[in-house]
Every structure is written in structure tokens, then in C-alpha cells.
Amino acid sequence: MRFYELPPEVENKIRNTDARPFVRVVLELAGGDVYLPDSDILECVITSYNTEAGGIMNCGELLLKGIYDIEQNAEYAPGLGIQIWYCFGERENTFFRFHLFVDDNGFQSQETGFLDKTTKVRLVDLSSKLDDTKLQRNWTDAQTVVHSVVCDRTNPENSLVHIIAKRGGLNANEINCGSLPFDIPYVIVVGSAWKELCALAKAYDAVVECGKDLTLSFIESPYDRENEYSEESCFTLDEKEITHYRFFNNNDKYANNVRLKYTRYVQTERQELWSYSDAPVWYDEDMQPYYPFTDDSRKIVSDNDYQAIYTAKNDEGKTRNVVYADQLDTEQDFLDAIEVTGEDKPVIVQYDTSTYKDRAIIQLNRDGKLIGLRKASITGRAIISETNYSIFVKDDNEIAAKGQIVKNVTSKFLSDDLFEDEPFCQRRAKDLLQECINCKGAYYLTTYLPLIHARVGAFMDIRLNAQSSFKKVRIDELTFRYKKEEAFSSEIWVTRV
């Protein structure tokens, strides 16, 4: 990932200490955007960070001079859109950096004595709404998705990113995504839109963020086959510009054995998914089995919710559970395929293959006749589950030197599609192992430079003293700290790569 591109007049100001940066705040009111008076902005602290779940979140806090509350304006309420711009001198030397919203606490005004009147506003980005299941449509319903790809902007109906985002109320034209055409045969979406998008991004090492331009971005995966993925360093920071640093070993992220476990879903060809086999069974003179329907005691006759649970065979001939079936026999096909010992066939009372995707509901009636049922079956195409499917990759040299340290990874979004001539899940496990072995430590840095174009996930070079060389790092967290009466400060958490 690269830094944001700045207008030339703003880029020239980044290292110019004569141009003190300040913050401009825009309220997105119903009647149009309104700029707060610059003199009213006492403090503005904004943080952007990479979460353990896998997504980038942005949040912050404003301290304003004066009273801004719902009594002054009914629109000063939770959920109000706030734009954060960074400026250098002239009004045209500005850069729009964050699009945030007032959190549930709203505008918190306070007054001490008669003159000390301030308002505190805590800000969150759209991810907080996407993570709130109460605000989402049908959030209590699990959604089954079959034969989707990870992301495809040209076909949003088949793109898992777009399908999940739709649960959070986002439309296709609000999403910026790359191209990850890996087939995911079957997945159940159960959590909030944000949590599911984070898990998907983590599986494919992508960046998911509610950004400043489009509402949602799902980009920068190294497995994207069409869009550029860059690890180029975009900025250099040396010892003269770093005002403080702290080093961390980061050993908790080290591992030399990665175990990637997931449930593998496989699409089968059309085959028999169910065949009637309830006891008792009789045999004719040729020792061929059949099932006598001499009374109405059989469950398939007496029960109106008899379940025909599907199973299917994999390529190795082993029986596996079916999680989803389609291209199933119609009721007429089912009736025509019934085999009996005589001429009379059972009457179909119920044949329901639509209520459930892993079973049929069947009820037969013998209509008072004596029937010998040789075969009643359902044929269709199925998606089968291979549970606890695991991939193990390790580095024997690292294990010999440091002992075995295992990292267990699970994901429901992994694909078996090929990436550079090997299954993606295998390639992903290898890349995770290299990432865990290549653990060089992390730094916390502060600088007086306003690195307003820096982004979480972007790369830069740092040098801590004149005797050392530049080290390449990846940004994990950013904080821009503006106070009206103090110098601007950029605080950065980085990891060596």
C-alpha cells in the first residue's frame, strides 16, 4: 500500500517547519456543509489502526471552544457526519483526510464558571455502524452463500464482499474493491457485516477500511491478479525528524510451524443423494431386498415431516455430509424413478426439496394397497463438507534453533483455487509461515512532521541514528495530534519487514 497522493502545494509543506499545520472541521448538515470557525477548534486527535480482527478503524476526539449542543441546533446529534481537513496557511493548501461520525454520546458540552465553555465530540468511522448488528437488516438470519468469489466489482451479485456489505446497507457503487476471483463454494454469513469483512480480508491479506473517498474499500491484497500491489517505501524519516522512539521485540508474533485448519467444501457431480433404507427389509427369491408396505406404521407414511437427509461421495468414494444441494429431482422425476415389486406405486403426499438445502421432506401413502418398494431415491448435485481439513507448514531449521512454536489459524473463507500453480490455501499457509518467521521487531515513533498522507498498511523507511542504515517498516497505527497552543505531532507504530 502507498501513502495518499497529496496536492503539490500541500506536499511541499510537509517538511516546511515555517508552515504550521492546523485542522479544519466540516459539519455535514442537512442544509449543506458548514465549516466550524478555526478559532473554535482547541484540540483534534485522530487515530487510525489495524485491528486484530483484520480491518482498519479510524476514531478520534474533538475539543471545541463554546457550546455546541442539540439546543443550539437539532442536527448536533449522534451520527452527524464530520470531515477532518488538514491545512497549511492558505485555505487552498488543504487535504481532506478523514470522514467520521459523531458517536452515540453526541456533543458533550461543559461549562466551568462563566467563560470556560467547551464541547467534547468523540468520532468513529462507519465500521462502528457496520459492526452493530442492531442497525443491520435481518441481522438475526444467517445467510448461506454458494459459488461466490471473494470480490469482483464487475459482478457484485456473485461477489462475497458486496454480498456481506449489502447486509450492512451498502450498495455496489459505494465499494472500492480489487479482483480476487477465488471460488468459495459454500459459506454461512452469521456475524456483523464488519466482522465478516474483516475475517475475509484477513484470509486474503487484504485491507478493508471505511475510508475517506468511497464508503468501503477492500483492496491491496498480494493475491490480486489484476490490480497493482505495492510494497514500495513512500517516505523516509531520519533521526533529525524523529523526536522519540521505542523498540519492541514483537516476539509474541513469532512462529515456525503454521497449522491452517478449515472446513473444505467441494462441489460434486450429480449423483444419488438419498435412498430409502428403513427397516424392516425383506428379500425375494433372488435375494434382492425390498421394503414391504403392508400397513401405515412406516415413518415415511405416518410422519408428515419425514426427513430424507442427503449424503454424497467424494472423489475417493468416501461418504460425506451434504450442506447444500441443487439440480434435484422434481416430484415427477422422483415418482417415475420409484421401483416396486408389483404394479402399484406409493402415492406422494409431500415432496419438499426447497425448505432445507441438505434434506428433503417426504411423505408417502400406500392408498390401502400392499406394496413392495424396491427403490426410492433422490438425485442431485451437492456441496459436501470435509471437516477439520488441515494444512501444515514448518521450517525445520528454525525449529532446531528455537524449538517448535506453533501458530494455529482457522478461516471459513479459504479457497482451493490455484494461485501460481498451487492451491491458494497451501500458498496462504506458506506466506503466513514466512511472515511469522520474519519477525524483526516493532517501533513506536513520534515526529513533528505532519504525516497526514500516511496510511495504515503503507511502507516507509526510517533511520534512528546517523551510524545505522535505513530500515523498511510497515505502518500499523497512526495518531495525528493537533492542539491549538502546541506543536503538531504524528505518532506511528511500525513493524519491521
Side-chain angles (χ1 to χ4, degrees):
M1 177 181 284
R2 300 182 61 83
F3 281 37
Y4 283 115
E5 185 176 350
L6 292 173
E9 56 272 16
V10 175
E11 187 172 10
N12 294 334
K13 301 289 186 179
I14 294 296
R15 282 192 160 96
N16 183 359
T17 56
D18 294 332
R20 183 177 185 272
F22 63 97
V23 171
R24 182 159 285 141
V25 176
V26 178
L27 306 182
E28 297 178 339
L29 302 179
D33 293 347
V34 174
Y35 287 86
L36 288 180
D38 295 340
S39 58
D40 281 2
I41 304 170
L42 302 178
E43 295 181 16
C44 177
V45 179
I46 307 292
T47 297
S48 179
Y49 65 99
N50 200 7
T51 67
E52 282 296 322
I56 296 174
M57 299 185 71
N58 304 288
C59 60
E61 186 173 285
L62 289 172
L63 182 62
L64 306 177
K65 179 182 177 182
I67 301 298
Y68 290 82
D69 60 20
I70 202 165
E71 295 182 3
Q72 304 291 327
N73 189 322
E75 293 187 61
Y76 293 164
L80 178 65
I82 302 284
Q83 297 176 18
I84 304 296
W85 296 68
Y86 291 94
C87 309
F88 298 83
E90 301 297 328
R91 181 176 287 270
E92 60 270 14
N93 296 339
T94 61
F95 180 64
F96 173 42
R97 181 60 179 87
F98 294 102
H99 186 208
L100 303 171
F101 302 87
V102 178
D103 79 349
D104 291 341
N105 292 312
F107 288 71
Q108 304 171 54
S109 56
Q110 59 183 0
E111 183 174 348
T112 302
F114 181 72
L115 298 177
D116 188 6
K117 302 176 182 180
T118 59
T119 301
K120 182 179 291 185
V121 186
R122 290 194 174 94
L123 305 174
V124 294
D125 67 10
L126 191 65
S127 65
S128 63
K129 295 183 180 180
L130 293 178
D131 198 26
D132 189 346
T133 53
K134 298 190 298 297
L135 302 177
Q136 297 175 31
R137 310 171 193 172
N138 302 323
W139 66 271
T140 57
D141 299 334
Q143 183 178 1
T144 300
V145 183
V146 297
H147 297 304
S148 63
V149 297
V150 177
C151 62
D152 181 0
R153 68 167 66 91
T154 64
N155 187 16
E157 294 80 11
N158 194 46
S159 169
L160 196 53
V161 167
H162 293 80
I163 292 169
I164 295 173
K166 189 176 181 180
R167 287 172 63 89
L170 300 186
N171 299 317
N173 59 2
E174 299 177 275
I175 300 171
N176 174 32
C177 73
S179 176
L180 293 168
F182 299 100
D183 179 57
I184 300 179
Y186 176 89
V187 69
I188 299 178
V189 180
V190 292
S192 70
W194 181 249
K195 283 188 172 65
E196 295 286 5
L197 286 168
C198 287
L200 183 61
K202 201 167 188 177
Y204 292 85
D205 200 16
V207 172
V208 60
E209 180 180 16
C210 296
K212 69 185 187 70
D213 299 318
L214 284 178
T215 305
L216 179 74
S217 293
F218 191 98
I219 54 176
E220 294 290 337
S221 169
Y223 309 105
D224 193 328
R225 302 177 182 183
E226 296 181 6
N227 301 285
E228 180 184 0
Y229 170 75
S230 175
E231 292 189 0
E232 178 186 350
S233 291
C234 303
F235 200 83
T236 60
L237 205 61
D238 63 26
E239 68 281 357
K240 297 178 181 178
E241 298 159 329
I242 296 173
T243 54
H244 171 79
Y245 81 86
R246 195 161 65 243
F247 175 75
F248 302 88
N249 282 322
N250 232 12
N251 287 338
D252 59 318
K253 295 184 178 180
Y254 175 84
N256 48 40
N257 187 338
V258 170
R259 299 175 182 177
L260 191 62
K261 187 173 74 171
Y262 65 105
T263 298
R264 183 170 179 253
Y265 295 102
V266 180
Q267 175 72 68
T268 72
E269 298 295 330
R270 205 163 183 273
Q271 61 176 279
E272 182 180 285
L273 304 180
W274 172 83
S275 181
Y276 185 76
S277 59
D278 291 358
V281 57
W282 290 2
Y283 294 85
D284 60 18
E285 61 273 12
D286 297 322
M287 294 304 294
Q288 297 299 315
Y290 68 95
Y291 304 92
F293 282 59
T294 57
D295 56 29
D296 294 337
S297 62
R298 286 184 177 270
K299 289 185 177 181
I300 200 170
V301 175
S302 60
D303 293 356
N304 60 8
D305 61 348
Y306 179 88
Q307 298 185 5
I309 299 175
Y310 307 141
T311 59
K313 295 186 182 298
N314 62 14
D315 292 339
E316 299 174 353
K318 296 179 180 178
T319 300
R320 293 289 183 260
N321 293 327
V322 171
V323 296
Y324 187 94
D326 58 8
Q327 299 183 10
L328 295 162
D329 291 337
T330 65
E331 183 174 329
Q332 189 61 49
D333 293 335
F334 174 70
L335 180 61
D336 292 344
I338 290 178
E339 299 177 14
V340 292
T341 56
E343 297 181 357
D344 296 323
K345 289 186 176 182
V347 175
I348 298 177
V349 177
Q350 182 177 200
Y351 180 77
D352 178 7
T353 58
S354 60
T355 300
Y356 303 102
K357 293 300 182 181
D358 62 346
R359 67 196 68 189
I361 305 298
I362 301 174
Q363 187 176 16
L364 303 179
N365 192 322
R366 65 187 186 89
D367 200 19
K369 300 173 183 178
L370 300 178
I371 297 174
L373 178 67
R374 288 197 182 278
K375 189 174 182 63
S377 63
I378 299 174
T379 300
R381 189 179 67 163
I383 297 174
I384 60 175
S385 61
E386 304 268 5
T387 58
N388 295 325
Y389 195 82
S390 299
I391 294 172
F392 302 89
V393 290
K394 60 182 180 178
D395 188 306
D396 291 329
N397 293 331
E398 289 286 327
I399 292 174
K402 301 179 181 179
Q404 183 163 258
I405 302 174
V406 178
K407 181 180 181 67
N408 293 304
V409 180
T410 60
S411 175
K412 64 181 180 182
F413 292 114
L414 293 174
S415 174
D416 286 332
D417 280 7
L418 295 181
F419 179 79
E420 296 181 350
D421 300 324
E422 68 178 325
F424 172 79
C425 48
Q426 183 75 32
R427 170 61 180 270
R428 184 69 178 123
K430 291 180 179 178
D431 290 346
L432 281 169
L433 177 63
Q434 290 306 310
E435 184 180 319
C436 292
I437 290 174
N438 187 30
C439 190
K440 300 177 182 178
Y443 294 92
Y444 166 73
L445 310 169
T446 64
T447 178
Y448 59 84
L449 296 182
L451 301 183
I452 57 173
H453 56 324
R455 304 173 66 181
V456 172
F459 296 85
M460 61 187 295
D461 293 327
I462 63 170
R463 189 178 68 186
L464 302 176
N465 57 71
Q467 290 73 41
S468 64
S469 58
F470 279 96
K471 300 178 177 67
K472 187 176 181 180
V473 296
R474 183 185 63 244
I475 299 172
D476 296 323
E477 183 174 330
L478 289 163
T479 295
F480 302 130
R481 197 176 297 278
Y482 167 80
K483 292 186 178 182
K484 189 175 181 179
E485 304 300 331
E486 297 181 16
F488 191 96
S489 174
S490 299
E491 302 174 11
I492 316 173
W493 296 82
V494 297
T495 299
R496 285 193 60 189
V497 294

